[in-house]
Amino acid sequence: MWKKILKLILDIIVIGCIVVAGYLGLQIFERYQEDHQLNSSYESIRKEAKKGKNFNWKKLQKINPDIVAWIYVKGTNIDYPVVQGKTNQSYLHTNFKGQYTYGGCIFLDCKDKKDFLSNDNNVFYGHHMRNGSMFADLVKFREEKFAKKHEITLYTPDKTYHLKAFSVYAKAADASIPISFKNQREKDIYLDKLKNRNNVSSIIRSFPRNSDIPIFTFATCSYEGHDYRTYVHAVKK
């Protein structure tokens, strides 16, 4: 009697394990397919509208009129169009072609103006994908040698921005990142805060404190702690 009950329990456990393993396997397979679709989608966009440092902006705007720039970092996988949605959820899981993908798009904060020079702080978001795509390589800026040698390039139809990081760190996500400041003093206080947070000594440098110089902030998920982010703050060279 007890042997039959024990056998039944063991059979149920085995079946349960098989079901769980099958479910997890399906999840992994679906994520793999999704990542492959995401990478293929952006690779096709690069082939269609990008040749080196030259861009077919008309074609990019035809594919997606929400495009505001193209971001590139040498020595990384960061080589993507940048969009701006009506909200910061618009492109969280929607790719450049309007299809659902977990990786979504690199996007500019919806409160920023498309003219980067009109903003006190241009804030960009992107997912940290486990396969190294999207903004995953932002974490490389936390390495001394990499941060010192590399820049972030933003291409727009009218101007190219060459940006150097001045503060890089990982911390719990900020509830909100300021887009504008009431005055220069408020901006200076914020800049001091960012410099104090910096944990990459090779990029410590001074730059003119001028209200006309915008900050460029790049944020992605980080895995050092619960709800952590890696932040890279940069200014024009």
Side-chain angles (χ1 to χ4, degrees), residues 48-60:
E48 287 178 48
K50 178 177 182 284
K51 190 173 182 180
K53 297 180 181 179
N54 298 313
F55 300 86
N56 188 329
W57 293 106
K58 287 184 178 180
K59 181 169 285 188
L60 288 167

Side-chain angles (χ1 to χ4, degrees), residues 23 47 91 98 102 119 133 140 157 174 177 196 200 235:
Y23 174 77
K47 289 179 179 178
Y91 284 99
Y102 183 83
N119 304 309
S133 63
K140 289 187 175 183
D174 285 328
I177 301 174
N196 289 334
V200 183
V235 289

Side-chain angles (χ1 to χ4, degrees), residues 31-40 42 77 80 102-103 127-137 223:
R31 177 56 62 87
Y32 170 80
Q33 279 192 317
E34 199 171 275
D35 289 347
H36 178 71
Q37 178 191 359
L38 181 72
N39 289 340
S40 296
Y42 283 112
N77 291 317
Y80 297 102
Y102 183 83
H127 284 291
H128 181 158
M129 300 298 286
R130 298 279 187 174
N131 67 353
S133 63
M134 305 311 290
F135 260 4
D137 281 341
Y223 300 114

Side-chain angles (χ1 to χ4, degrees), residues 97-109:
K97 292 185 175 180
Q99 304 160 328
Y100 172 84
T101 54
Y102 183 83
C105 273
I106 306 300
F107 62 93
L108 175 69
D109 193 289

Side-chain angles (χ1 to χ4, degrees), residues 223-237:
Y223 300 114
E224 295 80 7
H226 175 67
D227 201 30
Y228 260 52
R229 301 287 187 274
T230 285
Y231 293 99
V232 177
H233 303 280
V235 289
K236 290 190 298 178
K237 289 176 65 176

Side-chain angles (χ1 to χ4, degrees), residues 17-83:
C17 289
I18 292 171
V19 170
V20 170
Y23 174 77
L24 292 175
L26 180 62
Q27 292 290 99
I28 292 170
F29 177 71
E30 287 179 348
R31 177 56 62 87
Y32 170 80
Q33 279 192 317
E34 199 171 275
D35 289 347
H36 178 71
Q37 178 191 359
L38 181 72
N39 289 340
S40 296
S41 173
Y42 283 112
E43 187 58 37
S44 70
I45 292 166
R46 293 183 195 108
K47 289 179 179 178
E48 287 178 48
K50 178 177 182 284
K51 190 173 182 180
K53 297 180 181 179
N54 298 313
F55 300 86
N56 188 329
W57 293 106
K58 287 184 178 180
K59 181 169 285 188
L60 288 167
Q61 288 163 353
K62 187 176 181 180
I63 297 171
N64 190 331
D66 287 340
I67 187 168
V68 295
W70 190 286
I71 186 169
Y72 173 74
V73 180
K74 186 177 180 180
T76 74
N77 291 317
I78 300 174
D79 186 16
Y80 297 102
V82 180
V83 296

